[in-house]
Amino acid sequence: MRTLTELVCIGTLALAAGCAHGPAADDSTYQGLGGQGGIKKIVDTFVPLILADARIRDSFRDTDLKNLSMRLEEQFCALSGGPCTYRGKDMKEIHDGLNITNAQFNALAEDLQAAMDRHGVAPAVQNKLVARLAPMQREIVTK
Ligand code: HEM
């Protein structure tokens, strides 16, 4: 269901109603992930998969996992068009010095997809989220 504001912004009243930036952001990916509750479930599955993954787990030895989960929830919510603001560190800054390889980046993306599979997220929705994470590869991979 669209909100009244969205309907007004889509209609001819757009400018009069102060919708200079167009209709409200598309949150279909956020909804496809199951909203805030769905994203929390996905992250709660994703983090243990990372810690069990021999390809990447060593990088997380000294990581505050509670903070990591919180930041990932915010980030996935914001990236998928949900009503959140990412309050974590800059991707380049936080991953700098971790010597992350492309293979490790891909391993983590695989674990995320496995977590989404477990929670029944549709492949098209999975692809949308992964596509929004893909540009971060340039900032995260340093080796
Ligand atoms: C799409 C890929 C990735 C995304 C979206 C991502 C996202 C994040 C986020 C949101 C944080 C928390 C930032 C904060 O605390 O403010 C974080 C921290 C971290 N990430 Fe990533 N990450 C990705 C890939 C990787 C990979 C491939 C590795 C290693 C194999 C990795 C290792 C870490 C570690 C060790 C931390 C904690 C650093 C610390 O607390 O000092 N990340 N990441």
Side-chain angles (χ1 to χ4, degrees), residues 28-35 37-39 42 76 80 116 121 125 129:
S28 59
T29 305
Y30 173 72
Q31 299 302 345
L33 292 170
I39 290 173
I42 291 164
F76 294 166
S80 63
M116 291 193 285
V121 175
V125 175
L129 181 63

Side-chain angles (χ1 to χ4, degrees), residues 56 59-60 63 67-68 71-72 75-76 86 88-89 91 94-95 98 100 104-105 108 133 136 140:
I56 52 178
S59 304
F60 293 87
T63 301
N67 170 70
L68 179 68
R71 301 282 87 94
L72 288 171
Q75 193 183 40
F76 294 166
Y86 173 63
K89 295 202 175 123
M91 285 294 98
I94 193 88
H95 297 99
L98 291 174
I100 297 172
Q104 287 179 310
F105 184 93
L108 182 129
L133 295 171
M136 295 178 185
I140 292 172

Side-chain angles (χ1 to χ4, degrees), residues 29 32-33 79 109 112-113 116-117 121-135:
T29 305
L33 292 170
L79 280 175
L112 173 59
Q113 281 171 300
M116 291 193 285
D117 273 342
V121 175
V125 175
Q126 294 193 21
N127 291 342
K128 278 256 174 67
L129 181 63
V130 171
R132 286 174 196 175
L133 295 171

Side-chain angles (χ1 to χ4, degrees), residues 1-139:
M1 264 276 278
R2 290 189 189 278
T3 63
L4 182 60
T5 318
E6 281 178 287
L7 287 171
V8 169
C9 290
I10 289 163
T12 49
L13 287 171
L15 280 175
C19 309
H21 299 292
D26 169 20
D27 73 347
S28 59
T29 305
Y30 173 72
Q31 299 302 345
L33 292 170
Q36 201 64 71
I39 290 173
K40 184 176 185 334
K41 284 186 191 158
I42 291 164
V43 170
D44 285 348
T45 299
F46 178 39
V47 171
L49 284 177
I50 291 174
L51 299 178
D53 188 334
R55 299 170 295 180
I56 52 178
R57 65 178 173 217
D58 288 352
S59 304
F60 293 87
R61 254 193 322 245
D62 302 323
T63 301
D64 173 350
L65 299 173
K66 215 172 150 198
N67 170 70
L68 179 68
S69 296
M70 232 157 62
R71 301 282 87 94
L72 288 171
E73 279 178 43
E74 278 172 11
Q75 193 183 40
F76 294 166
C77 171
L79 280 175
S80 63
C84 311
T85 305
Y86 173 63
R87 300 191 191 279
K89 295 202 175 123
D90 173 73
M91 285 294 98
K92 190 167 174 58
E93 190 188 325
I94 193 88
H95 297 99
D96 196 36
L98 291 174
N99 293 319
I100 297 172
T101 63
N102 278 317
Q104 287 179 310
F105 184 93
N106 292 335
L108 182 129
E110 240 176 75
D111 293 340
L112 173 59
Q113 281 171 300
M116 291 193 285
D117 273 342
R118 278 204 206 168
H119 294 287
V121 175
V125 175
Q126 294 193 21
N127 291 342
K128 278 256 174 67
L129 181 63
V130 171
R132 286 174 196 175
L133 295 171
M136 295 178 185
Q137 187 154 4
R138 275 184 275 117
E139 298 172 311

